[in-house]
């Protein structure tokens, strides 16, 4: 699907579990203790869509936005000074412009740049097992169904309002992989689902406004030309 000359939407699943049925899963899961539940989730084999891997290859994504935006130690020190706090926006831009670009970039940004260059100029690609073995991804897939059902109930939506999307990209460099594209009349919205174990859930809610989360959402809004992003925090215990 092409929205305009720059933004392209590619429908489909990023990851999936073969022949997974949530009702069968939950009937067994709820009778296990904590360690048993964790082992049960980790026992599932995830298939990663090779088309998704190819689509995001060489692109800056929302989950890497924080790395991309990291400052060098020199810039971080500057921003903590009283003089910086008292500067106007124009003066801050001028001050940063005095610092050579290579001295402005943080280590996270440099590593990300090397990764993207490697993907674009060689045949190297991040190995699939790095994705498939992540418990967080497995948990997200397993508990996506109740999270989506809760979201539909809150927003008064149906399955017709939600679309599985592998990747949304804007131009030749920026993109992101949403959990769902939400069709709300003339509004362009995506759903970001955060699934956590109970202890981590409360910390995640408390840290909802941490820079990494804000930067991820802002990246999605900018790249997808969205009206907003709905972020749903879920505890797998509930």
């Amino acid at each position: 699907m092409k929205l305009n000359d720059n933004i392209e939407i590619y429908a489909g699943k990023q990851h999936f579990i073969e022949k997974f049925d949530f009702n069968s899963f939950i009937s067994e899961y709820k009778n296990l203790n904590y360690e048993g539940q964790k082992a049960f989730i980790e026992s599932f084999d995830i298939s990663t869509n090779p088309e998704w891997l190819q689509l995001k290859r060489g692109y800056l994504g929302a989950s890497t936005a924080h790395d991309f935006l990291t400052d060098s130690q020199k810039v971080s020190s500057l921003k903590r000074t009283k003089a910086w706090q008292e500067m106007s926006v124009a003066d801050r831009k001028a001050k940063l412009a005095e610092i050579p670009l290579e001295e402005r970039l943080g280590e996270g940004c440099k590593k990300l740049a090397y990764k993207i260059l490697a993907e674009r100029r060689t045949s190297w690609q991040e190995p699939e097992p790095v994705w498939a073995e992540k418990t967080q991804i497995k948990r997200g897939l397993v508990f996506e169904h109740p999270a989506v059902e809760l979201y539909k109930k809150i927003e008064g939506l149906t399955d017709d309002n939600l679309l599985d999307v592998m990747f949304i990209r804007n131009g030749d460099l920026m993109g992101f992989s949403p959990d769902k594209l939400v069709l709300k009349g003339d509004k362009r919205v995506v759903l970001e689902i955060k699934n956590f174990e109970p202890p981590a859930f409360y910390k995640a809610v408390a840290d909802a406004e941490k820079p990494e989360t804000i930067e991820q959402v802002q990246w999605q809004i900018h790249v997808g030309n969205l009206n907003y992003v709905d972020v749903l925090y879920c505890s797998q215990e509930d």
Side-chain angles (χ1 to χ4, degrees), residues 102-134:
E102 62 272 18
E103 295 180 22
R104 275 184 270 160
L105 301 179
E107 288 304 310
C109 182
K110 291 177 183 177
K111 289 177 181 177
L112 184 59
Y114 299 148
K115 174 181 177 292
I116 290 172
L117 281 171
E119 289 179 340
R120 288 184 169 231
R121 305 199 56 167
T122 73
S123 59
W124 181 84
Q125 189 165 3
E126 189 169 10
E128 183 177 329
V130 172
W131 298 97
E133 292 172 5
K134 286 189 175 179

Side-chain angles (χ1 to χ4, degrees), residues 4-119:
N4 55 40
D5 290 340
N6 292 320
I7 300 175
E8 295 177 308
I9 298 176
Y10 296 86
K13 287 279 191 181
Q14 303 156 26
H15 310 280
F16 54 92
I17 301 173
E18 294 282 0
K19 299 179 181 178
F20 176 78
D21 178 73
F22 180 77
N23 291 327
S24 298
F25 159 80
I26 202 66
S27 64
E28 182 173 348
Y29 175 86
K30 65 185 181 182
N31 294 319
L32 300 172
N33 61 23
Y34 173 75
E35 290 300 327
Q37 290 176 344
K38 187 175 180 180
F40 190 25
I41 291 175
E42 291 177 349
S43 70
F44 288 104
D45 291 327
I46 289 180
S47 295
T48 299
N49 192 332
E51 186 179 353
W52 172 69
L53 292 174
Q54 192 58 38
L55 283 169
K56 73 185 194 68
R57 178 183 174 85
Y59 274 75
L60 287 169
S63 60
T64 59
H66 181 70
D67 291 332
F68 177 66
L69 296 170
T70 54
D71 292 323
S72 66
Q73 186 61 47
K74 183 174 185 176
V75 173
S76 294
S77 298
L78 172 63
K79 290 182 176 180
R80 288 194 294 267
T81 63
K82 182 179 179 181
W84 175 268
Q85 300 302 322
E86 294 174 348
M87 286 183 190
S88 65
V89 173
D91 287 341
R92 288 179 179 181
K93 288 182 178 179
K95 187 67 177 178
L96 287 175
E98 296 174 2
I99 304 173
L101 179 60
E102 62 272 18
E103 295 180 22
R104 275 184 270 160
L105 301 179
E107 288 304 310
C109 182
K110 291 177 183 177
K111 289 177 181 177
L112 184 59
Y114 299 148
K115 174 181 177 292
I116 290 172
L117 281 171
E119 289 179 340

